[in-house]
Amino acid sequence: MGTATARANANIAFIKYWGNRDDRLRLPANPSISMNLGGLFAETTVRWEEDLTADSFGLNGKEDTGAGLTRVVAHLDVLRRRLDIAQFARVESRNNFPTGAGIASSAAAFAALTVAGAAAAGAQLSERELTTIARLGSGSASRSVPTGFVEWYAADAHEESYAESFGTPNTWDIVDVIAVVSKAHKPVGSSAGHQSANTSDLQTARVAGAEERLRQCKQAILNHDFAAFADVVEHDSNLMHAVMMTSRPPLFYWLPPTLMIMDSVRQWRADGLRVCYTLDAGPNVHCICVREDAAVVSERLRASSEVLDVLIAPPGDGAQVLTVSIP
């Protein structure tokens, strides 16, 4: 058995994934679409070793023996079953952006872990299958495997809920300008939130309209129609957070600066800037804009005392194997 290192970008969903039709298989309640975030990545090395007696996991240079290790071991078990191997693995991963703060760190991490784990075992798996395996570790990880603009299909069977690109990074020159208002790890993770989604009276309605919103959003991306894009993206984000806030127990990811930035973005757009907002399960605000307006949006965000940092990401590539060594 060998060693491989893979890199996968985070992604931002424009039509959201929230709630499962099957929690164990992470089969989503509705289809979703996203854009990979160029330059915001997880880089993961997997070493399958004969003499290991257990899996181990290090994140950003620190040994993890808690919940992170448990999730990694469960995913390595999936790979062991699929690849018919018995070895344990040493996993080292690092993110170059905040972990657990609503910037899809688990999506990048499990996409990279899946691709590196398969490569280190010498397996040649299709991109489609890699997306289904990544989904088992973190649902949105399926979207970080293909390149550019990605659609993830909802289905009742494991093999049918996969992700694929519908546009390359060059399909539309838009940029995600992320206003980081908190770098803290969120107290309730996305996995727990997905499991409580159906306790909200609003989830059924959100899911019922998802396919039409996805159609509108995909068409707007392919047509470079920013006005239509902004309308559906903000609406879909608001719907997801409405479900979170009305779940039992409720999930409130927004902070006071979150609301301030959302309000500012809508005002900036009314004044002529081509920018809209969307949020994942966290307080940080993804300000999606055309490249020509990205510098102004970034400057205005940096001028706020409530914004800790600003990250800028254009459309990014899919997961890639960086190095592989099989004796």
Side-chain angles (χ1 to χ4, degrees):
M1 303 302 288
T3 300
T5 299
R7 176 181 289 178
N9 289 314
N11 68 73
I12 179 62
F14 299 141
I15 301 300
K16 304 296 189 184
Y17 154 53
W18 195 250
N20 295 315
R21 58 185 69 188
D22 184 314
D23 285 326
R24 184 180 65 84
L25 295 177
R26 299 184 196 270
L27 297 175
N30 62 273
S32 57
I33 57 176
S34 63
M35 179 182 88
N36 283 346
L37 300 178
L40 301 182
F41 59 81
E43 196 168 288
T44 301
T45 299
V46 176
R47 297 181 180 85
W48 298 106
E49 297 185 17
E50 298 281 355
D51 56 352
L52 288 178
T53 57
D55 296 317
S56 62
F57 171 52
L59 176 62
N60 295 327
K62 296 181 180 179
E63 197 69 19
D64 191 324
T65 57
L69 173 63
T70 301
R71 286 186 72 181
V72 167
V73 169
H75 202 62
L76 292 171
D77 285 341
V78 169
L79 287 168
R80 276 186 279 264
R81 288 192 295 271
R82 170 60 182 88
L83 303 176
D84 193 24
I85 58 178
Q87 287 81 10
F88 292 106
R90 172 64 189 167
V91 177
E92 295 278 358
S93 189
R94 69 179 184 91
N95 301 326
N96 71 341
F97 60 95
T99 301
I103 316 180
S105 54
S106 3
F110 280 96
L113 174 59
T114 301
V115 171
Q124 301 291 325
L125 303 184
S126 68
E127 180 182 272
R128 173 171 170 167
E129 184 173 7
L130 287 169
T131 72
T132 65
I133 295 172
R135 189 196 75 236
L136 298 175
S138 170
S140 52
S142 61
R143 298 193 308 246
S144 281
V145 176
T147 191
F149 295 86
V150 177
E151 180 171 359
W152 171 23
Y153 301 104
D156 291 320
H158 167 68
E159 296 81 5
E160 298 304 315
S161 183
Y162 65 96
E164 66 178 358
S165 298
F166 67 90
T168 71
N170 296 322
T171 292
W172 194 15
D173 197 10
I174 57 176
V175 179
D176 187 1
V177 182
I178 307 169
V180 179
V181 299
S182 174
K183 297 183 180 181
H185 201 292
K186 56 197 177 194
V188 180
S190 299
S191 294
H194 289 297
Q195 292 175 23
S196 68
N198 286 330
T199 66
S200 167
D201 295 340
L202 306 182
Q203 173 72 344
T204 299
R206 188 196 71 82
V207 170
E211 289 196 17
E212 174 58 21
R213 293 192 302 277
L214 187 148
R215 185 196 66 77
Q216 293 171 7
C217 186
K218 191 173 179 180
Q219 184 175 30
I221 291 169
L222 296 176
N223 292 342
H224 300 180
D225 184 344
F226 194 85
F229 174 79
D231 182 67
V232 71
V233 166
E234 288 187 352
H235 181 52
D236 194 83
S237 178
N238 294 343
L239 281 169
M240 180 181 73
H241 282 271
V243 168
M244 293 171 174
M245 294 175 190
T246 53
S247 295
R248 299 183 177 94
L251 286 172
F252 293 96
Y253 285 120
W254 294 351
L255 296 174
T258 307
L259 283 164
M260 178 199 73
I261 294 168
M262 291 163 63
D263 186 57
S264 295
V265 165
R266 292 181 67 83
Q267 185 59 55
W268 297 343
R269 188 165 70 254
D271 292 341
L273 281 180
R274 289 161 293 176
V275 60
C276 65
Y277 66 76
T278 186
L279 291 91
D280 278 345
N284 299 315
V285 186
H286 296 255
C287 303
I288 314 298
C289 53
V290 299
R291 182 176 293 276
E292 292 89 341
D293 292 341
V296 174
V297 170
S298 175
E299 181 182 354
R300 291 185 181 183
L301 292 172
R302 291 183 193 278
S304 170
S305 61
E306 304 282 1
V307 175
L308 305 179
D309 195 8
V310 175
L311 306 175
I312 300 177
D317 292 323
Q320 302 174 30
V321 176
L322 301 181
T323 62
V324 60
S325 174
I326 301 178

